[in-house]
Amino acid sequence: MALLEVDQLRVEFLTRNGTLTAVDDVSLKIEEGEVLGVVGESGAGKSMTGNAIIGLLEPPGRIAGGEIRLDGQRIDNLPYEKMRKIRGAEIGAIFQDPLTSLNPLYSVGQQLVETIRTHSDVGLAAARSRALELLNEVGIPAASQRIDHFPHQFSGGMRQRVVIALALSANPRLIIADEPTTALDVSIQAQIIALLKRLCRDHGTAVMLVTHDMGVIAETADRVAVMYAGRIAEIGPVADVIKHAKHPYTDGLMGSIPVVGQQTERLAQIEGAMPRLTAIPDGCAFNPRCPKAFDKCRQTRPDPIASGAGEVACWLIEQEAHHG
Amino acid sequence: MAKQSPTADPILQVQNLSRVFDVSPPWLNRVIEGQPRQLLKAVDGIDFSVKSGETFSLVGESGCGKSTVARLVVGLYGPSTGQIIFEGDDIGGLSRREMAPIRRRIQMIFQDPYASLNPRWRVKDIIAEPIRAFHLAHGGAAITARVTELLEQVKLTADDGQKYPHEFSGGQRQRISIARALASEPDFLVCDEPTSALDVSVQAQILNLMKNLQRELGLTYLFISHNLAVVYYISDRLAVMYLGRLVEVGPARDIFKNPQHPYTRMLLDTIPDLEMSGRERLPVAGEVPNPINPPSGCSFHPRCPFANARCRSEAPQPRMVGSTAIACHGVEENRIIEAAPVANGR
Ligand SMILES: Nc1ncnc2c1ncn2[C@@H]1O[C@H](COP(=O)(O)OP(=O)(O)OP(=O)(O)O)[C@@H](O)[C@H]1O
Ligand SMILES: Nc1ncnc2c1ncn2[C@@H]1O[C@H](COP(=O)(O)OP(=O)(O)O)[C@@H](O)[C@H]1O
Ligand code: SF4
Ligand code: SF4
Ligand SMILES: [Mg+2]
Ligand SMILES: [Mg+2]
């Protein structure tokens, strides 16, 4: 049994214009110590999937179907207080903007101590030394001096490391990191990625890493899920997905990324844009932009089917399976 | 407008350009608490020149002064010292009125297209505004025709002109701001992180569009980005900036293939590895120091593995090494250990 199991998750928004489906039949698993990368264009449903797992969907968003299980126990239907406990103790969250997770009025040390003490029964002194340990672990230089400083006295990269320290403070088994390096410089991004990888290795923490940066995924993830218009287009081992993409959308996405050392006159380009939730095309949602679309794609929606070590939701794969 | 390839003539020359900001605490605090005046040198005596028809890029970590250079070049800030010479004329010290005809020829594209488009105007009026202001077409019909032409140039349609900015996606808004910049028939576009807010697939569309427009209209770009792969794709020449100074300036291919300045090497080493060669990125030592109190000598010395006593006391001046201008004592003294080429096999 995987640590996290998401089964046919469906997230809906009730709006004036009717019900919008932001996440549509998404299924995925994350094992202990594994990093699952989740990529896709903005609006693909990455954050909504993450928020549903940590129980932080804001109304009018709601889970409209499916199950989320941590260690086999359902967590998608728990009362608020119970979920809040799990969120601190078992699942940690890291968001794009570190400032939203930090309180400007309290020192970094106070916030760590407070979080540690909510989740375990330790005294002030013990909590403070644990806080210091965490700051050292995430690589804050001169942590014993910096512990009493306020968030605004830290740089962006250091703030994100503090947020990671906060997320780690209760030794969670799963971390949901939503674009944790998007707001940071590449140099600092490299440090944060190295840190996340080390944590998985040393503590067996599982990580769901949401990002639109393929480079970050290539370096960090064990497996990767590619989302398009609320669904998983392709999921599988990172090397397969990145180097031998099977879904035409993944293929287009990879081709559109400039690479240092590869001289190209023109980048491959996926024409058009991802559909809005109000206008998801019939059949395969990617069909209006897909260079390989055929009749069936415009009529019937493909579900993910096994292909190699992963799964792909595309009629071409189905055909291949039948004919070859 | 004819097709043009990069020529030897510089269209823009920047000499000893500096911009200092006064970031002192309020006067009263200074008097009561005895706090000193604080000056921040965002740009500290830089030189570079951009050739007509080329793409010249500025890279460097956040806060190193890239946007300040952009704003100096388009005249949004005045220089504290130095010259900005556009086709032979120093435009740095010009008054608003004297600047007007040159302003038309130098336009800017920003990172956040939404913030730079007036939300209450229809797209057609946003694009028509510079045409009217600079008298580039006369009469409603001519202006409408020109707006349509511009919309089509950026792959939008005449119908899109009737809509408001909020009705468009991020990538489409960036197309609108490009159309507006082109409306004044510029020669020189300053692009400050034009694709940083966009998804990779949309980024590819915009970068392809910018390259096509450059070829068709003979545009010159000053391009700013922190995404090194984007810079590799788009640039002819490149300047690497650190704490207000340029540390390495030269042909982009040469710098990516054989970075020489220790900071350039560090920066290139942080590029994520899409080839999955298993290369571990070297964790970067330290962060950008405080620009209010920059380190003495070479401002990179606290992070540099090759720093010595001279580096801590004397600021290195740029000198030519082959095709590239490098400001580093270590390079001059030949003490920088060879590193593997970056642009191959990664
Ligand atoms: N108007 C201003 N007043 C005071 N300081 C400023 C001003 N504009 C810029 N600075 C400072 O000048 C330095 C350079 O800023 P600049 O915006 O040019 O950086 P940048 O390289 O564009 O960074 P980023 O990659 O984050 O956009 C920074 O320390 C910044 O805080
Ligand atoms: N409050 C809301 N009301 C309606 N739709 C929403 C709301 N919040 C998010 N959505 C929609 O849900 C979809 C998925 O969003 P999200 O998960 O944030 O995407 P991303 O992949 O960029 O993280 C988007 O189309 C978004 O517009
Ligand atoms: S199902 Fe059809 S339209 Fe969709 S990705 Fe596959 S080939 Fe393209
Ligand atoms: S001048 Fe000295 S400190 Fe500066 S980059 Fe060169 S070797 Fe390093
Ligand atoms: Mg998101
Ligand atoms: Mg900037």
Side-chain angles (χ1 to χ4, degrees):
Chain A
M1 180 178 50
L3 177 67
L4 177 79
E5 294 170 319
V6 174
D7 237 352
Q8 308 232 292
L9 176 68
R10 201 179 162 80
V11 173
E12 288 179 353
F13 285 93
L14 302 172
T15 72
R16 273 178 307 160
N17 306 325
T19 304
L20 302 179
T21 309
V23 176
D24 193 0
D25 277 352
V26 161
S27 301
L28 51 86
K29 288 185 169 69
I30 310 181
E31 305 284 343
E32 224 161 83
E34 183 183 54
V35 181
L36 175 75
V38 179
V39 295
E41 283 168 87
S42 86
K46 308 181 294 293
S47 298
M48 293 304 133
T49 305
N51 291 354
I53 295 169
I54 40 182
L56 283 182
L57 275 181
E58 308 242 348
R62 64 181 188 100
I63 296 181
E67 284 189 12
I68 302 169
R69 292 184 296 272
L70 189 71
D71 249 347
Q73 302 292 315
R74 273 186 79 168
I75 57 168
D76 55 284
N77 55 1
L78 297 180
Y80 181 82
E81 265 311 302
K82 226 168 171 176
M83 191 57 205
R84 201 178 65 91
K85 286 225 172 74
I86 289 186
R87 195 151 56 227
E90 314 264 341
I91 310 180
I94 305 169
F95 297 106
Q96 173 167 352
D97 181 2
L99 280 181
T100 58
S101 313
L102 295 171
N103 188 327
L105 301 179
Y106 293 93
S107 76
V108 158
Q110 284 170 313
Q111 298 186 49
L112 277 164
V113 164
E114 147 99 30
T115 315
I116 291 165
R117 295 192 71 196
T118 354
H119 296 297
S120 61
D121 187 19
V122 292
L124 209 56
R128 190 175 158 92
S129 71
R130 171 86 181 117
L132 198 58
E133 213 176 282
L134 282 164
L135 289 177
N136 275 316
E137 173 152 22
V138 298
I140 300 285
S144 56
Q145 289 154 42
R146 305 300 305 249
I147 188 167
D148 294 316
H149 287 183
F150 290 81
H152 71 90
Q153 293 169 297
F154 287 79
S155 73
M158 286 164 79
R159 280 185 209 134
Q160 195 57 297
R161 273 176 269 170
V162 171
V163 172
I164 294 179
L166 271 172
L168 291 177
S169 56
N171 286 320
R173 308 177 57 202
L174 172 69
I175 291 183
I176 310 277
D178 193 347
E179 310 267 7
T181 60
T182 305
L184 305 177
D185 268 323
V186 275
S187 57
I188 296 158
Q189 183 186 75
Q191 297 172 355
I192 301 291
I193 293 301
L195 172 64
L196 280 176
K197 271 165 89 165
R198 187 161 54 76
L199 293 171
C200 293
R201 209 170 45 220
D202 298 354
H203 300 273
T205 318
V207 177
M208 175 168 149
L209 177 62
V210 176
T211 173
H212 61 259
D213 188 334
M214 281 288 188
V216 168
I217 293 286
E219 284 196 317
T220 322
D222 300 300
R223 287 187 312 124
V224 52
V226 182
M227 288 191 73
Y228 187 81
R231 292 171 55 82
I232 291 183
E234 178 162 7
I235 183 168
V238 65
D240 294 2
V241 174
I242 283 193
K243 288 188 150 172
H244 311 286
K246 290 180 176 147
H247 195 285
Y249 174 64
T250 319
D251 198 34
L253 211 53
M254 293 309 303
S256 68
I257 303 172
V259 178
V260 172
Q262 274 178 22
Q263 297 199 20
T264 21
E265 210 14 67
R266 211 181 117 83
L267 295 167
Q269 146 176 342
I270 312 175
E271 301 298 336
M274 204 173 62
R276 297 181 180 211
L277 294 186
T278 46
I280 305 268
D282 286 338
C284 172
F286 187 56
N287 86 67
R289 305 172 76 187
C290 180
K292 296 181 172 160
F294 52 106
D295 278 349
K296 187 169 187 182
C297 307
R298 287 179 270 272
Q299 286 143 18
T300 324
R301 195 180 80 174
D303 282 317
I305 59 166
S307 170
E311 285 178 21
V312 183
C314 169
W315 291 124
L316 289 175
I317 303 301
E318 171 115 328
Q319 269 191 340
E320 253 171 49
H322 280 227
H323 297 288
Chain B
M1 273 170 274
K3 274 193 183 184
Q4 222 173 320
S5 57
T7 63
D9 304 334
I11 186 169
L12 180 80
Q13 267 176 294
V14 163
Q15 290 170 354
N16 190 32
L17 182 66
S18 307
R19 171 68 208 209
V20 179
F21 292 109
D22 188 341
V23 291
S24 307
W27 176 81
L28 200 60
N29 296 49
R30 292 215 309 276
V31 173
I32 296 173
E33 295 161 29
Q35 292 173 351
R37 184 170 273 287
Q38 283 189 324
L39 297 178
L40 187 154
K41 274 193 181 167
V43 176
D44 188 5
I46 66 170
D47 297 271
F48 64 86
S49 65
V50 183
K51 293 175 197 152
S52 179
E54 77 171 348
T55 300
F56 183 92
S57 294
L58 272 180
V59 298
E61 285 163 280
S62 181
C64 72
K66 305 179 295 293
S67 298
T68 306
V69 173
R71 295 171 149 257
L72 285 163
V73 169
V74 296
L76 288 171
Y77 290 152
S80 303
T81 70
Q83 279 97 49
I84 303 166
I85 300 167
F86 186 76
E87 291 197 331
D89 296 321
D90 183 358
I91 58 172
L94 293 188
S95 69
R96 229 166 218 288
R97 236 192 63 226
E98 294 166 314
M99 182 77 185
I102 296 167
R103 273 264 38 191
R104 177 186 72 72
R105 302 185 53 200
I106 309 177
Q107 291 294 319
M108 183 150 172
I109 302 171
F110 298 89
Q111 168 170 359
D112 181 358
Y114 201 56
S116 64
L117 299 173
N118 188 334
R120 282 185 294 275
W121 284 19
R122 288 183 199 274
V123 165
K124 66 177 171 57
D125 297 320
I126 292 175
I127 297 174
E129 198 247 0
I131 303 175
R132 293 200 177 95
F134 294 117
H135 310 292
L136 295 170
H138 303 281
I143 292 175
T144 304
R146 177 70 183 135
V147 168
T148 303
E149 186 185 16
L150 285 160
L151 281 168
E152 284 168 358
Q153 223 157 26
V154 298
K155 307 280 181 294
L156 295 171
T157 63
D159 287 347
D160 289 326
Q162 301 299 329
K163 299 183 194 156
Y164 291 92
H166 73 87
E167 297 176 67
F168 292 90
S169 68
Q172 288 169 326
R173 281 181 208 142
Q174 200 55 289
R175 288 172 198 271
I176 296 167
S177 50
I178 293 173
R180 183 187 52 183
L182 294 179
S184 33
E185 299 176 16
D187 305 288
F188 195 99
L189 283 188
V190 176
C191 316
D192 191 356
E193 308 263 9
T195 63
S196 302
L198 306 176
D199 282 313
V200 286
S201 55
V202 183
Q203 168 174 282
Q205 295 173 347
I206 297 293
L207 291 176
N208 284 338
L209 174 69
M210 288 183 60
K211 269 204 168 183
N212 287 345
L213 291 172
Q214 179 170 48
R215 217 175 305 124
E216 282 164 28
L217 305 175
L219 297 169
T220 308
Y221 291 147
L222 175 63
F223 190 92
I224 293 174
S225 177
H226 64 262
N227 184 326
L228 293 162
V230 167
V231 165
Y232 179 85
Y233 170 71
I234 196 116
S235 315
D236 297 304
R237 288 192 315 126
L238 178 63
V240 181
M241 195 163 182
Y242 189 75
L243 228 54
R245 298 184 189 155
L246 300 185
V247 300
E248 187 158 1
V249 184
R253 297 276 180 268
D254 296 354
I255 293 179
F256 273 99
K257 212 179 200 133
N258 184 20
Q260 302 198 53
H261 193 284
Y263 177 64
T264 312
R265 291 181 175 199
M266 187 202 91
L267 205 62
L268 294 191
D269 223 86
T270 61
I271 300 173
D273 180 14
L274 261 181
E275 293 298 306
M276 311 219 312
S277 59
R279 171 180 67 95
E280 291 258 338
R281 286 199 258 176
L282 290 181
V284 173
E287 291 178 27
V288 186
N290 183 352
I292 297 174
N293 256 321
S296 59
C298 169
S299 46
F300 187 55
H301 84 250
R303 300 169 82 185
C304 179
F306 305 103
N308 66 11
R310 185 182 174 203
C311 302
R312 286 184 279 275
S313 62
E314 183 191 330
Q317 298 305 314
R319 37 180 82 233
M320 291 304 291
V321 180
S323 57
T324 309
I326 300 160
C328 170
H329 298 312
V331 169
E332 184 195 341
E333 294 160 11
N334 232 336
R335 357 181 229 98
I336 310 293
I337 304 153
E338 264 321 301
V342 168
N344 297 318
R346 284 200 174 175

